[in-house]
Amino acid sequence: VQLQASGGGLVQAGGSLRLLCTVSGNSYMINAFGWYQQSPGKERELVAAISSDGRANYRDSVKGRFTISRDDVKDTVSLQMNGLNVGDTGVYYCYADLNPWDPTGPLKDLSPLVYKGPGTLVTVSS
């Protein structure tokens, strides 16, 4: 499985971006997808994830602003990011989890059995 993220860029606070992750290879093996953010000096952190049946969950700081979606026909995963703020700055990585992922309750991390691709840089200016 190979993942390629795109769509990052420089945007002013309050603006929007749409990240796209293109999946190639044995995509039938994948259960869940997630988008992770790595900000300067911080640990990589899960922002949003979506299960095999299309249920999503989000980090509290992005709820109501970000929307994750998947298209299993086109083998793509998107992250629509609205109302961006400086705290959203970072490199965003698309992850594919071979294990089932639980979308209920507080946001749960993906399993260790994941594929990940190169990130795409999002910079939000104030």
Side-chain angles (χ1 to χ4, degrees):
V1 175
Q2 294 82 42
L3 305 169
Q4 183 63 55
S6 61
L10 174 63
V11 64
Q12 286 190 328
S16 298
L17 283 173
R18 185 177 181 87
L19 305 185
L20 182 70
C21 177
T22 302
V23 184
S24 58
N26 296 324
S27 60
Y28 66 90
M29 300 169 58
I30 299 170
N31 269 282
F33 289 98
W35 285 96
Y36 282 76
Q37 175 194 14
Q38 186 154 26
S39 301
K42 294 185 178 180
E43 298 280 328
R44 196 172 297 186
E45 186 178 6
L46 182 62
V47 173
I50 187 166
S51 64
S52 57
D53 62 357
R55 290 181 291 166
N57 205 346
Y58 301 89
R59 190 173 72 196
D60 285 346
S61 62
V62 308
K63 284 182 179 177
R65 301 190 296 122
F66 289 12
T67 303
I68 187 172
S69 59
R70 61 189 289 169
D71 187 328
D72 292 334
V73 175
K74 295 181 179 179
D75 283 339
T76 59
V77 184
S78 299
L79 184 68
Q80 178 67 42
M81 310 163 71
N82 298 328
L84 285 161
N85 59 56
V86 173
D88 298 320
T89 292
V91 179
Y92 283 73
Y93 298 87
C94 177
Y95 279 52
D97 195 341
L98 302 186
N99 284 325
W101 170 78
D102 180 4
T104 63
L107 180 63
K108 301 176 182 65
D109 214 344
L110 300 183
S111 83
L113 195 62
V114 292
Y115 288 94
K116 54 185 180 287
T120 185
L121 176 62
V122 172
T123 304
V124 184
S125 63
S126 59

Short mmCIF file of all heavy atoms in Angstrom, two decimals, residues 4 9 15 17 28 42 46 54 65 79 108 120:
data_model
loop_
_atom_site.label_atom_id
_atom_site.label_comp_id
_atom_site.label_asym_id
_atom_site.label_seq_id
_atom_site.Cartn_x
_atom_site.Cartn_y
_atom_site.Cartn_z
N GLN A 4 -0.15 8.89 -0.80
CA GLN A 4 0.42 10.16 -1.22
C GLN A 4 -0.53 11.28 -0.84
O GLN A 4 -1.64 11.35 -1.36
CB GLN A 4 0.66 10.19 -2.72
CG GLN A 4 1.32 11.46 -3.22
CD GLN A 4 2.70 11.65 -2.64
OE1 GLN A 4 3.57 10.78 -2.72
NE2 GLN A 4 2.92 12.80 -2.00
N GLY A 9 -0.55 23.95 1.86
CA GLY A 9 -0.14 25.25 1.34
C GLY A 9 -0.17 26.30 2.43
O GLY A 9 -0.31 25.99 3.62
N GLY A 15 -9.11 30.83 6.72
CA GLY A 15 -9.24 30.25 5.40
C GLY A 15 -9.47 28.75 5.42
O GLY A 15 -9.64 28.14 6.48
N LEU A 17 -8.54 24.78 3.43
CA LEU A 17 -7.75 23.92 2.56
C LEU A 17 -8.42 22.56 2.51
O LEU A 17 -9.11 22.15 3.46
CB LEU A 17 -6.32 23.75 3.09
CG LEU A 17 -5.33 24.88 2.90
CD1 LEU A 17 -4.03 24.57 3.65
CD2 LEU A 17 -5.04 25.13 1.44
N TYR A 28 -7.59 -2.95 -0.72
CA TYR A 28 -8.66 -3.77 -0.13
C TYR A 28 -8.29 -4.21 1.28
O TYR A 28 -9.14 -4.61 2.06
CB TYR A 28 -8.91 -5.00 -1.00
CG TYR A 28 -7.76 -5.98 -1.05
CD1 TYR A 28 -7.67 -7.02 -0.13
CD2 TYR A 28 -6.76 -5.86 -2.00
CE1 TYR A 28 -6.61 -7.91 -0.15
CE2 TYR A 28 -5.69 -6.74 -2.04
CZ TYR A 28 -5.62 -7.76 -1.11
OH TYR A 28 -4.56 -8.63 -1.14
N LYS A 42 6.48 19.31 18.44
CA LYS A 42 5.43 18.53 19.09
C LYS A 42 5.38 17.11 18.53
O LYS A 42 5.88 16.84 17.44
CB LYS A 42 4.06 19.20 18.90
CG LYS A 42 3.93 20.54 19.60
CD LYS A 42 2.51 21.06 19.46
CE LYS A 42 2.33 22.37 20.19
NZ LYS A 42 0.95 22.89 20.07
N LEU A 46 -3.10 12.52 16.15
CA LEU A 46 -4.23 12.21 15.29
C LEU A 46 -5.21 13.37 15.29
O LEU A 46 -5.61 13.86 16.35
CB LEU A 46 -4.91 10.93 15.77
CG LEU A 46 -6.10 10.44 14.94
CD1 LEU A 46 -5.67 10.10 13.51
CD2 LEU A 46 -6.75 9.21 15.60
N GLY A 54 -17.43 4.29 7.19
CA GLY A 54 -17.63 5.72 6.99
C GLY A 54 -17.92 6.56 8.23
O GLY A 54 -18.24 7.74 8.12
N ARG A 65 -14.97 22.09 12.39
CA ARG A 65 -14.18 22.80 11.38
C ARG A 65 -13.64 21.87 10.31
O ARG A 65 -13.53 22.26 9.16
CB ARG A 65 -13.01 23.54 12.05
CG ARG A 65 -13.41 24.56 13.08
CD ARG A 65 -12.21 25.41 13.52
NE ARG A 65 -11.18 24.61 14.20
CZ ARG A 65 -9.92 24.54 13.78
NH1 ARG A 65 -9.52 25.17 12.69
NH2 ARG A 65 -9.03 23.81 14.46
N LEU A 79 -9.51 15.50 3.64
CA LEU A 79 -9.69 16.23 4.89
C LEU A 79 -9.99 17.68 4.51
O LEU A 79 -9.10 18.40 4.06
CB LEU A 79 -8.45 16.16 5.79
CG LEU A 79 -8.60 16.82 7.15
CD1 LEU A 79 -9.60 16.04 8.01
CD2 LEU A 79 -7.26 16.92 7.87
N LYS A 108 -9.82 7.74 19.33
CA LYS A 108 -8.83 6.71 19.61
C LYS A 108 -7.78 6.68 18.51
O LYS A 108 -8.09 6.86 17.33
CB LYS A 108 -9.51 5.34 19.71
CG LYS A 108 -10.57 5.26 20.80
CD LYS A 108 -11.26 3.92 20.77
CE LYS A 108 -12.37 3.85 21.82
NZ LYS A 108 -13.46 4.80 21.54
N THR A 120 2.15 16.50 3.87
CA THR A 120 1.97 17.75 3.13
C THR A 120 1.90 18.89 4.15
O THR A 120 1.25 18.78 5.19
CB THR A 120 0.69 17.68 2.26
OG1 THR A 120 0.58 18.84 1.46
CG2 THR A 120 -0.57 17.48 3.07
#
